[in-house]
Amino acid sequence: MPLSEHEQRMLEQMERALYAEDPKFASALEGNGLRTYTRRRVYQAVAGFLIGIALLMTGMVMQLIWVSVVGFLVMLGCAVLAVTGWRKAPKPGEQPPGVARRQARPKRSMMDRIEERWQRRRDEQGR
C-alpha cells in the first residue's frame, strides 16, 4: 500500500532529522549493503577462479584428469558468479534496479486490476 502525501512528507522529515543528528549511522542504513555484497561476491568469484586455475594446472602436471576437470568446473562456476554479480551491482550513487520502478508506479493487487478491467468494460458497453 503506497504512503499518502502526508506520510511521505513525515518520512522525509524524519530522514533529514536522522541525517542531521547522526550522518554516519544514516549512511550505514542508506542501502549501500547491496553494492558491498555484490562487490564482495565478485571478489570471491575471482579468488575462486584463480583457485580453479591452480587446480587445473595441478591436474595437468600430476596427470590427474579428474583434478583438472574439477578445476575447470570451479573456474566456470566462478566466472558465471562474477559476471552475474558484476551486472547486478548498482553504480555508486544509483538505486538498486527494482527501487525506482516501485516508486514510480505502486504495485496493485490482482483483484484491483480485475475490478478496473471490469469497470472499463461496463463503461464501454454503457456508451
Side-chain angles (χ1 to χ4, degrees):
M1 169 175 248
L3 298 175
S4 69
E5 290 182 30
H6 176 69
E7 292 171 331
Q8 288 177 351
R9 276 184 272 148
M10 293 292 289
L11 182 61
E12 289 172 4
Q13 287 177 349
M14 290 169 56
E15 287 175 354
R16 282 193 296 266
L18 179 63
Y19 277 106
E21 285 181 27
D22 194 359
K24 186 176 179 181
F25 178 69
S27 65
L29 295 177
E30 193 172 48
N32 291 334
L34 179 64
R35 187 172 64 225
T36 304
Y37 169 75
T38 53
R39 185 182 303 145
R40 186 180 322 128
R41 181 176 166 191
V42 168
Y43 290 151
Q44 289 172 347
V46 168
F49 188 83
L50 294 175
I51 291 170
I53 289 175
L55 284 172
L56 181 72
M57 292 301 183
T58 302
M60 290 174 67
V61 169
M62 297 180 72
Q63 295 182 349
L64 296 171
I65 293 178
W66 67 272
V67 175
S68 296
V69 170
V70 168
F72 177 75
L73 292 175
V74 168
M75 288 171 51
L76 183 64
C78 289
V80 169
L81 283 176
V83 170
T84 58
W86 191 262
R87 286 184 182 168
K88 290 180 183 177
K91 307 288 185 268
E94 182 180 66
Q95 290 182 340
V99 173
R101 259 183 292 166
R102 276 186 252 129
Q103 289 177 350
R105 187 179 70 178
K107 195 171 188 177
R108 299 179 303 176
S109 70
M110 185 177 76
M111 287 304 295
D112 290 339
R113 291 190 309 259
I114 291 173
E115 287 176 10
E116 183 181 322
R117 288 178 190 162
W118 178 258
Q119 191 64 34
R120 257 190 276 145
R121 286 183 188 145
R122 289 182 59 194
D123 290 343
E124 288 173 0
Q125 291 176 354
R127 289 185 194 178

